[in-house]
């Protein structure tokens, strides 16, 4: 399920809150967070911490942990009941989306299968002594200065023209920033 983020302003800070997470997951998250904060608060404190001092300020009435818990609390979205017609339309759109995603997945699988078969055919065409080396994966990164191919052939003299223009600009003292 996708989560939508909404902004709620709490004092000087803006906190992101999840508004569409499942209630059970949010409740479990909140209870775990409360337990973790309670466990941390159970330690004896000889001197008040900075956050405790800030919490006592009249301008702030929430600690950072309370703001965090509030951000995890699901927001009330109001009445979300759908009519029969809207439910039927949503079901049709859901099935169509599922069909398209499955077709996209099958196309991806077909493409990957073809590539694997071509790789195996290329390895089989190699001499026996090179096949073992060809089957070893190559994890070395690409060189940083590799040439990037384009859709058009190179323009004769373009690179030299760029270099001379760059040298002339640099000689004048007008460097690009």
């Amino acid at each position: 399920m996708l989560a939508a983020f909404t902004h709620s302003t709490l004092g000087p800070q803006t906190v992101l809150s999840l508004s569409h997470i499942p209630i059970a997951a949010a409740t479990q998250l909140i209870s775990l967070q409360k337990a973790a904060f309670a466990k941390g608060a159970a330690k004896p404190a000889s001197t008040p911490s900075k956050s405790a001092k800030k919490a006592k300020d009249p301008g702030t009435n929430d600690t950072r942990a309370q703001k965090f818990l509030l951000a995890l609390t699901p927001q009330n979205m109001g009445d979300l009941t759908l009519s029969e017609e809207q439910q039927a339309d949503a079901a049709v759109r859901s099935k169509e989306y599922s069909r398209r995603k499955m077709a996209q997945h099958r196309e991806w699988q077909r493409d990957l299968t073809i590539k694997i078969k071509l790789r195996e055919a290329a390895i089989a065409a190699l001499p026996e002594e090179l096949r073992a080396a060809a089957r070893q994966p190559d994890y070395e990164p690409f060189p940083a200065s590799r040439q990037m191919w384009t859709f058009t052939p190179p323009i004769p003299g373009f690179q030299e023209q760029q270099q001379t223009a760059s040298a002339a600009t640099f000689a004048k003292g007008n460097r690009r920033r």
Side-chain angles (χ1 to χ4, degrees):
M1 175 176 273
L2 295 175
F5 293 92
T6 58
H7 293 281
S8 61
T9 306
L10 302 172
Q13 297 176 343
T14 301
V15 178
L16 288 174
S17 64
L18 293 172
S19 60
H20 293 304
I21 59 174
I23 300 294
T27 307
Q28 185 179 12
L29 252 174
I30 291 170
S31 62
L32 288 173
Q33 292 296 328
K34 284 182 181 178
F37 288 123
K39 188 185 291 185
K43 295 178 183 175
S46 57
T47 59
S49 65
K50 288 182 181 180
S51 61
K53 289 178 184 177
K54 285 183 182 179
K56 291 180 183 177
D57 289 343
T60 59
N61 47 346
D62 284 336
T63 64
R64 186 178 294 174
Q66 289 169 337
K67 288 180 184 179
F68 182 71
L69 288 174
L70 185 60
L72 289 176
T73 305
Q75 303 293 317
N76 185 5
M77 296 302 293
D79 188 24
L80 296 178
T81 57
L82 299 176
S83 68
E84 294 290 327
E85 182 179 303
Q86 290 173 328
Q87 287 178 352
D89 182 48
V92 168
R93 285 188 284 131
S94 173
K95 287 179 182 179
E96 181 61 29
Y97 175 79
S98 179
R99 275 189 221 105
R100 287 183 182 177
K101 289 304 284 184
M102 187 54 74
Q104 184 183 29
H105 175 68
R106 286 187 188 121
E107 182 62 34
W108 179 80
Q109 282 181 320
R110 193 174 306 117
D111 182 51
L112 191 61
T113 303
I114 289 171
K115 288 176 182 176
I116 290 171
K117 286 180 180 178
L118 288 173
R119 181 191 64 194
E120 294 301 320
I123 290 174
L126 288 173
E128 189 64 38
E129 60 272 1
L130 295 178
R131 288 183 191 165
R135 292 193 189 280
Q136 296 298 320
D138 182 15
Y139 295 118
E140 212 169 296
F142 287 106
S145 61
R146 69 180 178 166
Q147 182 166 354
M148 298 300 290
W149 301 106
T150 60
F151 291 117
T152 59
I155 301 169
F158 180 78
Q159 192 71 22
E160 293 80 17
Q161 180 186 11
Q162 291 296 315
Q163 289 174 350
T164 56
S166 173
T169 304
F170 185 74
K172 289 181 185 176
N174 299 331
R175 295 184 209 164
R176 291 186 216 172
R177 294 183 194 255

